[in-house]
Amino acid sequence: MDRNEDFDFDRAMGNVKANFAVEGLEFTEEEVELIRRRFTGKITEEEFKKMVMEIHGENLDIG
């Protein structure tokens, strides 16, 4: 289920990665794939949050 066929996820994610890199932060391939799956609607917001918590631990506050 594509949210917008004209939207270039890879290009946008490249920009996000560059902005984070300026702050010394990097995304893993697992994180990028998780974001892609949420963006395309393959997982729900709740599933996304649960998976982020599994990756980064219970102390992460993701509201």
Side-chain angles (χ1 to χ4, degrees), residues 1 3 34-52 62:
M1 173 172 111
R3 290 186 177 208
L34 185 58
I35 294 166
R36 179 188 309 278
R37 291 177 61 205
R38 177 63 194 120
F39 177 79
T40 59
K42 292 182 179 172
I43 59 173
T44 66
E45 182 74 16
E46 194 61 38
E47 290 169 319
F48 176 81
K49 288 179 180 180
K50 182 179 177 185
M51 291 175 184
V52 168
I62 57 175

Side-chain angles (χ1 to χ4, degrees), residues 2-56:
D2 287 331
R3 290 186 177 208
N4 184 341
E5 292 179 13
D6 296 328
F7 187 84
D8 186 344
F9 178 85
D10 293 324
R11 181 175 177 189
M13 197 64 210
N15 290 334
V16 171
K17 285 179 175 181
N19 287 330
F20 273 66
V22 168
E23 300 297 328
L25 303 171
E26 295 181 1
F27 287 95
T28 65
E29 288 304 313
E30 180 182 23
E31 292 166 332
V32 172
E33 182 58 27
L34 185 58
I35 294 166
R36 179 188 309 278
R37 291 177 61 205
R38 177 63 194 120
F39 177 79
T40 59
K42 292 182 179 172
I43 59 173
T44 66
E45 182 74 16
E46 194 61 38
E47 290 169 319
F48 176 81
K49 288 179 180 180
K50 182 179 177 185
M51 291 175 184
V52 168
M53 295 295 282
E54 288 172 1
I55 292 170
H56 294 286

